[in-house]
Structure formats: structure tokens, C-alpha cells
Amino acid sequence: MRTLLCICCLVMLHHNSNAQWIQTTGPECGFAYDFETVGQYIFVSSEGNGVFRSSNGGNTWTNASIGLPKSSIQNLAVIGTTIFAGTIDGVYKSDNNGLNWIPANSGISGISIISFATDGADLYAGSEGYGIFVTDDNGITWTQKNNGLGDLYIKEIEINSAGMYVGTYNGTYRSTTNGNVWNLCANNVVLTIATAFVSIGTTVYAADDNSYIYVTNDTGATWTQIGSGLPWSIGVEDLLESAGTLFAAIAIGIYTSADFGITWIPTNNSIIGNVFNWQLFKFNGKLFTGTFGGGIYSTDNNGLTWTPSNIGYINSFVSDLVIHQNQLFAATDGGGIFTSTNQGNTWSSSNSGIVGFYISEMLSSGSELFCVASGSMGNKIFRSINNGASWTDLQLAIMWNPRTIFQHSGALYVGTANMGVYKSVDGGLTWSNVSTGITPNTIVNDFASIGNYLFAATYDGVYVTTNNGVSWTAASNGLTTTYIQSLTVNGNSLFAGSSSGGVFKSTNNGTNWINVNNGVLPIFNLTVETLGSSIFAGYHNGLIFISNDDGLTWNNKDLPTTNFSSLCFAVDGNTIYAGTTYGGVFKDSTFTSGFSSPENSVMQITAYPNPASDYIELSISQKIIPHVTMKSAI
């Protein structure tokens, strides 16, 4: 008797919501804003990752942020053994060397605190738009002291034995009554924003946002402009005196003066170029500077040479990840490029020859590696032919602000912020503009290709060319937003990640789009990886979404913390890497792709021969063991 089989399979699928993400050991760099010390401990505040602490003079760092909001913490202060942190939600404090933090916010909750100064047991806190607050009981209560202030944005506070000074967006104010009454300094000589102060005895030095230095010896009644040698219009972020030498931290480095501020010279040749320097600090004969992205540098010879002090300081903003020649490369915002040959267990810097250290994107092309960089020396594209050991500037004088780089049909394409698309057919030696059809001054964010179709994601929708950039046409029908930030391809499907509309999909080369944002929040970055057919989409607060069915459904594969946003992904074998904001690189080596997303699915299984007389064979495409219910019909 021949039996006709109807086979219905109820498949119990494994969800990836319990993904085993772990944080790698880097890259070790990031944003370092302010320093303070309690006993043997040095503290440094970061961007988006709380406070770090060192117990060995800055040789190594560990995160010490339990109880702190993970927002930008730009200021620290110490009274006795209590350390205070200024946040966007008032003041927090720790009485146990940073092991945990509690709010000290009575009356100032929800107010952004951006500056501190201490005077004995009194702590003064400067705010954004609410003036100055003072506490004399370790933050239990606060009193506002704004009498006479014409501007309530308090950028800096300085206190010495002769009086108090505050820098605002509209000049410098002084008080000789412990802040009870403020007066605008004579002639308002300190221009615009007073960005930094330092006192030597009762002599006060003040810097403004144009790199002018002023000095007063009469409690601010009169000021004298000094400061020959400082680059104009850069802005001084901090001033420090050490062993008779004045130090100034500015956007392009550290300057010193040996004649009390009259003349200045640069002394930071060993700090990676273009790193914005925020704060200066001294501890046990050692000087530290915090940078904007490059982490922490220190000197033990009064600024002659500076060395990185970033071991354990994982605050890196990872903007791109690529696998190149069996190595993992991470591009960072401010710290340059890092590489790992052992799945992120250790990292090393790959910055030789790079002038711009804000790296937005990388491209692996055969034996060559390209990166898009920016900094105070301009916006550039660099190429490496030796696995990142050294980099060469492609000298793109005609380009302004390149944002993305892509390879298609043997040519290189660069998307820019306001000059459309450039193309090179000789490996980047020469370039030509190929933007016909793209709206002028449109920001080009990303590229993707399917066959001879090349697509560009812009803030004016999606464009497509089928003639290698000779002409472009709009391909945005069905998109509900024109702010397209990323593109990716899965087989013949094209996906677009937007800033507000979520994820869109096209199966006809951009002719039409449909929204596939089923359960997915608005996406800032979307990418597809080579592990099976999985599509990963990253969002803020540690949220990562994954689709294994070409965007029909999505499930969470979130990071173990909500503190960071996932910006980019890379896959090497069975290991997935996620680059984050302010948390470095995470990895998961346990994921297997190719499953359908729902927990219970009906799977079509091929049985042959059918009809059958004695046996059958089952053909199942997914690599799973299903629960199979077999029913026969005669």
C-alpha cells in the first residue's frame, strides 16, 4: 500500500534575547573631562560612562560609577574625603572613594552642573542657565547666589584668598563677599566667554575663547592682556601652574609659558595630533591632561614629553569596525584606529601617519585599507597598504568633509557633506565629481550596491546609478522620510536605515520601498553581516535588533547594558562585534544565524518519494532539530 504523507512541523526556535555579549578590553581611549584626587585615588570624569578611578598614579583605571547617571560628567570636586560629580541632573557624591554614588540634589535636581570650586567647607556649583549654587553641608542643602550676575551660564569659577571670579558667556564677574554680591569686572576686558582661570597667590590669570590671556593683581579691578604665541581663535579650555610654569590646554595641544604668561610655546609633540585637550591636573609630581577622544596623557618631566595613560580607560566612541587581513580594526572618534589580532582580547594603536584622528569610516579593499578622517588639519582620506602599520594622505584638496567611502566595480566612491559624490578609478590617486542628478549640497551618508546598481543614502532620500556615477536618479518611492543614514544588502533585498522612520526594504532595486519596522524602534545604523543571512540594526540604550527572515520580523539581541548605543557591527567566523558609543567594542561568540524569528513556526518540509511505499526522506533547510508530527492519509 502506498501512503501519501502530510507533514506538519511545529518548530521550537531558540531566541537570541539572551545573547552572550561581553565587553572587550578596548579600544582604550575616550573623552576625559576633569580630574580630582582623594588620598591615593585619582578620579577622572568621562563622556557617557561615568567616572573612572586609579589607585596607582594613573597607570591603570577602573570604572567607579555605581549610582551615577551615565551622562556626560564634566566636573569633579572634593571636600575632605567626599568627591562630588556635576551631571545633567544636579550633583552626585561619594563618601567611599567612588564605590557608589548618591544624589546630593536638594533644590537643584534636573539642573545641569558644569563647573565647581571649593572654599574650605563650601562647594560652589555653576550651572547652565541657573547661576551659582553653594552648599556648606556636603550637598544636603543648596543656596542660590546670583545677585548682580547678568548671565546665569557659569562656565568657570575661581576662588583665591582675595575674592571669587566666574566666567560667563557675557564677561567675567567678581565677588569679595563670598558670592553674595557680584560685579562685572572693570571695562569687561575679558572678552565673551572666560573659559579658564588659574591663581598664583592673589594674581589671577583668565583665558577667553579666542586664546587671549589676561592677568589681574587687584581683584579684577583692572586687567592686562598678555599671551604672545598662542594660536588665535582656538580657545583655551584650562590653565594650570606647575613649578613656575604655566600650562594652557587648547584644542590643538598643550602650550607652556616660563615667563608668567607673556610668551607661550607648544610642548605636546608626543600627543596625537588634533586631539582636543580639556583639562590639566597634577598629582605627585605628574601632570595629566584629558582629551576629547584620545583619553588621558601624562608627563613626569613638566611637559617635555607626554605618554598615553589609558590602560583600563574604555570610553571609546567606536564609529566603524572592519575585518581586514584576519584582523579586527576599530575606528574611533578622537583616538584614531586600533587593531586586534585576538578577538579583542588586546588592542594596539594603528595611527602612524594619520593626521586626522576623528575617524568616521573604514573600507577594506583587497590588500588596501582606507579611512575617512577629520581634524583641525582638515578632512581627509588615508590609505594603508601594510595592514594599518602606516597611513598615507591621499591629498584630496578639492573635497570638503568626506563622510563615507565605498568600492563598486573596481572604483572608489566617496560621499561628502556638501559636495556630492567623488569617484576614483586609480586607487585614490585622482578624483572626479560624479554627482549629476543628486540635489546640490546634500549630505551623502552611505553606499550599497546590487549588481551594476549603486545606491547612495542621503538626507534627501536614496539615489541610484546604473552607469557608475555618470548620472543619478531618485529612488525614494515609499520612503516616509528623506533622512536616510545607512544602506545594506541581503541577497537581492536592499535595506535603508533612517533617522526617524525606522527600517525600509526594497526588492526591486529601489523602485519601491516598504517599511519593515515591525516592532523596531527608529534606527540610527543598519548593517548586514556575512554570518548566514542575519541583519543587525543598532539603536541607542544598548538595543540591537536582528532579523533572520529578510526583515519580516525582528528580535532583540541587546547589549548587557543600556548605557551605550551600538553604532556598527563586524563578523569574523562565529564572532559578532558591536562598536558602541563610549563603551568600546563588545563581542558575542555564541550566536548562530539562519533561524526564523518567531518562537513557533510551521515549516514546509519536502518528503520524497511521495507517494511512498516503505520509507521517506525529509529535506529540512534550517540547521535545527524540529519536533515533527507525522500524519498519514490513505
Side-chain angles (χ1 to χ4, degrees):
M1 178 172 59
R2 300 168 68 88
T3 303
L4 180 66
L5 297 177
C6 278
I7 302 175
C8 177
C9 298
L10 181 64
V11 184
M12 306 304 295
L13 295 176
H14 172 67
H15 266 253
N16 294 295
S17 57
N18 295 319
Q20 298 180 29
W21 291 105
I22 62 172
Q23 190 177 28
T24 71
T25 63
E28 292 171 322
C29 62
F31 300 76
Y33 289 133
D34 198 13
F35 298 86
E36 266 298 350
T37 180
V38 178
Q40 65 174 326
Y41 296 105
I42 305 174
F43 295 85
V44 60
S45 62
S46 75
E47 176 73 34
N49 202 4
V51 170
F52 287 78
R53 185 183 75 175
S54 174
S55 61
N56 53 16
N59 293 326
T60 60
W61 301 88
T62 57
N63 195 272
S65 304
I66 296 175
L68 275 176
K70 293 292 181 143
S71 59
S72 171
I73 298 175
Q74 295 192 19
N75 296 93
L76 300 172
V78 169
I79 294 180
T81 59
T82 301
I83 184 167
F84 298 85
T87 78
I88 61 173
D89 187 26
V91 176
Y92 284 69
K93 70 178 183 179
S94 173
D95 295 314
N96 55 10
N97 296 319
L99 293 180
N100 52 61
W101 299 75
I102 60 173
N105 279 339
S106 179
I108 58 171
S109 177
I111 295 177
S112 178
I113 302 300
I114 58 173
S115 56
F116 279 137
T118 61
D119 184 16
D122 294 338
L123 172 64
Y124 291 83
S127 70
E128 286 187 303
Y130 293 88
I132 294 178
F133 298 86
V134 62
T135 178
D136 59 7
D137 52 16
N138 265 14
I140 296 175
T141 60
W142 294 85
T143 302
Q144 200 170 28
K145 291 196 172 184
N146 292 337
N147 185 21
L149 288 176
D151 188 337
L152 300 183
Y153 186 106
I154 311 301
K155 171 68 175 172
E156 288 290 331
I157 310 173
E158 177 71 9
I159 301 175
N160 62 32
S161 60
M164 300 177 59
Y165 306 82
V166 296
T168 75
Y169 272 128
N170 292 287
T172 298
Y173 290 78
R174 62 187 176 115
S175 173
T176 56
T177 59
N178 297 318
N180 292 317
V181 178
W182 296 92
N183 294 288
L184 189 65
C185 288
N187 302 320
N188 196 21
V189 171
V190 181
L191 302 178
T192 319
I193 309 172
T195 57
F197 295 102
V198 67
S199 294
I200 302 178
T202 58
T203 298
V204 177
Y205 295 84
D208 70 4
D209 59 342
N210 286 319
S211 292
Y212 291 132
I213 305 292
Y214 300 86
V215 61
T216 180
N217 294 297
D218 53 12
T219 321
T222 60
W223 295 81
T224 301
Q225 182 181 328
I226 57 177
S228 172
L230 287 174
W232 184 80
S233 193
I234 297 296
V236 176
E237 286 298 319
D238 199 17
L239 293 170
L240 176 76
E241 184 273 332
S242 177
T245 299
L246 284 177
F247 290 80
I250 66 175
I252 60 174
I254 307 294
Y255 281 68
T256 62
S257 173
D259 53 11
F260 297 99
I262 296 174
T263 59
W264 296 81
I265 59 173
T267 60
N268 69 311
N269 58 332
S270 49
I271 297 180
I272 55 177
N274 300 325
V275 172
F276 197 108
N277 294 271
W278 280 101
Q279 293 291 320
L280 294 162
F281 182 72
K282 58 182 177 180
F283 177 76
N284 287 349
K286 203 173 186 178
L287 299 183
F288 295 85
T289 183
T291 69
F292 192 84
I296 303 161
Y297 282 76
S298 64
T299 176
D300 56 9
N301 54 20
N302 222 34
L304 293 179
T305 57
W306 296 81
T307 58
S309 297
N310 287 327
I311 297 176
Y313 193 74
I314 307 176
N315 185 229
S316 47
F317 186 111
V318 180
S319 53
D320 200 13
L321 293 170
V322 298
I323 305 296
H324 178 75
Q325 303 291 320
N326 298 317
Q327 293 186 41
L328 173 63
F329 286 82
T332 70
D333 190 1
I337 295 173
F338 292 79
T339 182
S340 176
T341 59
N342 53 15
Q343 295 188 321
N345 293 325
T346 59
W347 295 84
S348 59
S349 176
S350 296
N351 290 322
S352 177
I354 298 180
V355 176
F357 283 86
Y358 299 93
I359 312 298
S360 60
E361 189 165 298
M362 301 182 70
L363 171 68
S364 175
S365 175
S367 62
E368 296 180 318
L369 195 60
F370 297 86
C371 72
V372 178
S374 62
S376 60
M377 297 296 291
N379 303 285
K380 300 176 179 293
I381 292 180
F382 291 86
R383 177 178 61 192
S384 175
I385 59 174
N386 54 11
N387 239 21
S390 61
W391 297 84
T392 302
D393 184 359
L394 293 185
Q395 302 293 331
L396 306 181
I398 59 174
M399 284 193 198
W400 187 84
N401 199 2
R403 294 176 62 91
T404 183
I405 185 169
F406 189 74
Q407 186 179 50
H408 174 70
S409 297
L412 293 175
Y413 292 82
V414 169
T416 71
N418 69 344
M419 297 181 68
V421 177
Y422 281 81
K423 174 183 176 181
S424 174
V425 296
D426 53 13
L429 297 178
T430 60
W431 296 82
S432 58
N433 190 281
V434 289
S435 304
T436 301
I438 296 178
T439 301
N441 300 319
T442 296
I443 295 175
V444 180
N445 292 310
D446 201 8
F447 294 105
S449 64
I450 299 176
N452 67 325
Y453 289 83
L454 175 62
F455 304 90
T458 79
Y459 281 163
D460 188 40
V462 176
Y463 288 84
V464 62
T465 177
T466 56
N467 51 20
N468 295 321
V470 174
S471 60
W472 298 79
T473 57
S476 300
N477 186 39
L479 295 176
T480 58
T481 176
T482 60
Y483 287 86
I484 306 301
Q485 299 194 144
S486 57
L487 294 171
T488 193
V489 172
N490 182 36
N492 290 319
S493 297
L494 177 65
F495 291 85
S498 70
S499 61
S500 59
V503 184
F504 298 85
K505 172 184 171 181
S506 174
T507 56
N508 53 10
N509 294 318
T511 302
N512 302 102
W513 296 85
I514 60 171
N515 188 277
V516 291
N517 197 35
N518 181 24
V520 181
L521 294 173
I523 299 301
F524 288 103
N525 188 60
L526 176 66
T527 186
V528 65
E529 307 302 344
T530 57
L531 188 58
S533 57
S534 300
I535 304 168
F536 293 89
Y539 190 53
H540 64 70
N541 293 335
L543 300 180
I544 297 176
F545 300 90
I546 181 172
S547 175
N548 294 311
D549 54 12
D550 209 36
L552 294 178
T553 57
W554 301 83
N555 281 319
N556 291 85
K557 184 181 173 63
D558 299 338
L559 295 174
T561 173
T562 61
N563 299 328
F564 313 122
S565 301
S566 49
L567 298 175
C568 51
F569 303 94
V571 172
D572 187 15
N574 288 323
T575 300
I576 308 167
Y577 300 93
T580 70
T581 55
Y582 316 123
V585 175
F586 284 72
K587 70 177 181 180
D588 178 9
S589 301
T590 66
F591 177 73
T592 303
S593 72
F595 299 146
S596 298
S597 295
E599 287 188 0
N600 302 300
S601 298
V602 176
M603 177 180 292
Q604 180 68 43
I605 296 179
T606 302
Y608 58 90
N610 189 11
S613 59
D614 49 3
Y615 73 92
I616 61 170
E617 294 185 13
L618 302 180
S619 175
I620 305 174
S621 60
Q622 277 94 336
K623 295 180 180 179
I624 59 174
I625 305 298
H627 174 74
V628 181
T629 301
M630 303 179 65
K631 296 181 180 179
S632 64
I634 300 176

